[in-house]
Amino acid sequence: MEFEYTAEQQQLRKTVREFAESEIGPHVLEWDENEIFPLEAIKKAGNLGLLGAIFPEELGGAGLGYIEYAIIIEELARVDPSVGLIVAAHNSLCTNHIYKFGTEAQREKYVTPLAQGKKLGCWSLTEPEAGSDAGGTRTVAAKQGGGWVLNGAKTFTTNGHYADVCVGMAVTDASKKHHGISAFIIEKGTPGFRPGKKENKLGLRASDTSEVVFGDCHVPAENLLGREGEGFVNSLQILDGGRISIASLGLGMAQGAYECSVRYAKQRKQFGKAIAEFQAIQFKLADMATQIEAARLLTYRAAWLADRAIASGDPDARITRESSMAKLYAGEVAVRVANEAVQIHGGYGFTKDYPAEKFYRDVKLCTIGEGTSEIQRLVIARQLLGK
Ligand SMILES: Cc1cc2nc3c(=O)[nH]c(=O)nc-3n(C[C@H](O)[C@H](O)[C@H](O)COP(=O)(O)OP(=O)(O)OC[C@H]3O[C@@H](n4cnc5c(N)ncnc54)[C@H](O)[C@@H]3O)c2cc1C
């Protein structure tokens, strides 16, 4: 067993940390308060290769693996989880769906500019009536004139207003249920395709979460992504990788909340001494650090397995159980750690003067997005019971 990051991975962490602290850190509060989408920072992240982390260099990517990708998302989330989420939805959902299931022509046309950071992507599975039960998709795509016409609406799409390329799921044959849902690539500007209502959220307020609407939206036949009817099944595979990014997001937030708690505990004095001198506070910090470490091990093991699955060349290699476990555990640890971070800050933790308040709000997404904690438990149990 090997628990060491390579020199390159350590250097990558340092580079992303410096970028996050210098380019993002000073703006985090303002972006959150005013729901400002950090377009310039995302462009700079693109220049660093962070928008193409897991894609080969010949397609404009950085040619890195899932371990490096987890490092990137963790370090971004440690400073601003909104930026982490924007980068995650772009990489492991939208671009990866096209990379994994697209034709050579689709990869060249879409993956290259997405991986280079010249375009931004979004991925639309969830609908108002189809959340955890995504197989209940109602958006439809009908064959017409050699292409497809999409009608329906998606909800909660990360990057919905800013994406140039959307991967959207729609029913192509209702009689086939889960095997009657297909994926499509829809470009911004396609008539009948528009972003809808932007959500006013509890946290992650600098990220954009929106409806996307299809009203008689014509897409050419070549924009069918993957085999007809396999869009839902392919989405589940995409979520295996996506869940590693949400685990990393939770890990980064937990790490950020823990670090600001240590700083505060050393500096805040009550009863004539730093609160870090009180055993009750020390125990909280010890529990936080221990849980973060356990979450880190699960997350990076899932990332390592994802890299091994890719290296094996076996298209059927799955990491469903491990990525769900990492997402479930890291997400729930992040919520607990952020809760304790506010507690350690006392009344000041309830104000926007310290980062604990924002972590407390942002972190809740980790037990909801890309499958709620309840759904992760269902997925894990199914794997355990061989169902
Ligand atoms: C900030 C944010 C960003 C998002 N980004 C995207 C995105 O980019 N693309 C995208 O497609 N979606 C996205 N989502 C949607 C997200 O994946 C869904 O919100 C999530 O899957 C849950 O669906 P729902 O909100 O409809 O909740 P519901 O499915 O209605 O669940 C409500 C409650 O019921 C529970 N529940 C449901 N079914 C069961 C069951 N069988 N057993 C036990 N409990 C159950 C759930 O766990 C939850 O507690 C995003 C959501 C948020 C908040």
Side-chain angles (χ1 to χ4, degrees), residues 19-281:
F19 165 72
E21 288 180 347
S22 63
E23 300 286 341
I24 298 169
H27 311 287
V28 171
L29 262 185
E30 185 206 345
W31 292 345
D32 179 68
E33 280 286 282
N34 301 309
E35 296 180 274
I36 295 171
F37 188 86
L39 215 45
E40 279 309 309
I42 295 300
K43 273 193 194 139
K44 286 180 186 166
N47 294 339
L48 279 179
L50 308 188
L51 296 190
I54 47 177
F55 307 105
E57 288 173 27
E58 56 272 24
L59 285 173
L64 300 171
Y66 268 83
I67 293 184
E68 289 80 8
Y69 179 49
I71 290 173
I72 291 168
I73 301 298
E74 184 189 345
E75 288 301 324
L76 293 175
R78 175 180 164 272
V79 174
D80 190 352
S82 284
V83 175
L85 182 66
I86 294 165
V87 172
H90 167 93
N91 258 294
S92 45
L93 295 182
C94 174
T95 313
N96 199 36
H97 199 139
I98 304 174
Y99 174 63
K100 232 171 146 55
F101 299 107
T103 59
E104 279 310 313
Q106 288 170 334
R107 281 177 162 194
E108 205 169 298
K109 181 169 179 191
Y110 297 107
V111 173
T112 302
L114 286 163
Q116 287 169 336
K118 291 182 177 157
K119 290 194 168 169
L120 189 67
C122 71
W123 189 80
S124 292
L125 175 65
T126 308
E127 296 187 359
E129 303 302 327
S132 300
D133 181 16
T137 295
R138 292 183 180 182
T139 295
V140 290
K143 272 187 180 143
Q144 202 184 91
W148 296 89
V149 182
L150 273 64
N151 276 292
K154 298 285 178 181
T155 191
F156 292 138
T157 295
T158 300
N159 300 338
H161 275 89
Y162 296 88
D164 304 286
V165 177
C166 172
V167 170
M169 271 40 81
V171 176
T172 43
D173 185 345
S175 69
K176 293 188 177 155
K177 301 205 159 53
H178 288 172
H179 291 280
I181 298 173
S182 306
F184 294 89
I185 304 171
I186 309 102
E187 291 183 44
K188 187 180 191 170
T190 305
F193 171 60
R194 63 173 176 86
K197 179 184 158 230
K198 176 182 158 77
E199 300 299 341
N200 184 1
K201 305 197 294 291
L202 167 74
L204 298 167
R205 291 169 61 78
S207 76
D208 172 61
T209 312
S210 309
E211 283 182 335
V212 298
V213 182
F214 306 102
D216 285 332
C217 172
H218 290 249
V219 296
E222 64 263 26
N223 282 28
L224 175 74
L225 174 59
R227 285 215 294 272
E228 187 180 331
E230 293 304 303
F232 177 76
V233 177
N234 292 347
S235 293
L236 297 185
Q237 276 177 267
I238 290 302
L239 285 169
D240 283 352
R243 284 170 184 158
I244 295 174
S245 75
I246 302 296
S248 311
L249 195 75
L251 193 54
M253 285 192 246
Q255 182 68 31
Y258 164 76
E259 286 177 22
C260 74
S261 302
V262 171
R263 270 196 311 274
Y264 189 79
K266 286 183 176 170
Q267 155 231 314
R268 173 70 172 168
K269 288 203 169 63
Q270 288 293 279
F271 300 96
K273 46 176 140 170
I275 60 168
E277 299 292 317
F278 300 126
Q279 198 178 50
I281 300 292

Side-chain angles (χ1 to χ4, degrees), residues 1-3 5 54 65-71 237 239-248 251 293-311 317-330 376 380:
M1 296 183 87
E2 179 58 78
F3 289 103
Y5 296 107
I54 47 177
Y66 268 83
I67 293 184
E68 289 80 8
Y69 179 49
I71 290 173
Q237 276 177 267
L239 285 169
D240 283 352
R243 284 170 184 158
I244 295 174
S245 75
I246 302 296
S248 311
L251 193 54
E293 211 43 48
R296 184 167 284 120
L297 288 170
L298 274 180
T299 302
Y300 282 94
R301 179 163 179 276
W304 176 77
L305 285 169
D307 286 336
R308 275 215 331 187
I310 293 165
R318 299 288 298 264
I319 49 148
T320 307
R321 186 180 76 163
E322 291 78 7
S323 65
S324 271
M325 284 179 169
K327 195 264 177 189
L328 170 65
Y329 189 75
Q376 301 312 318
I380 295 163

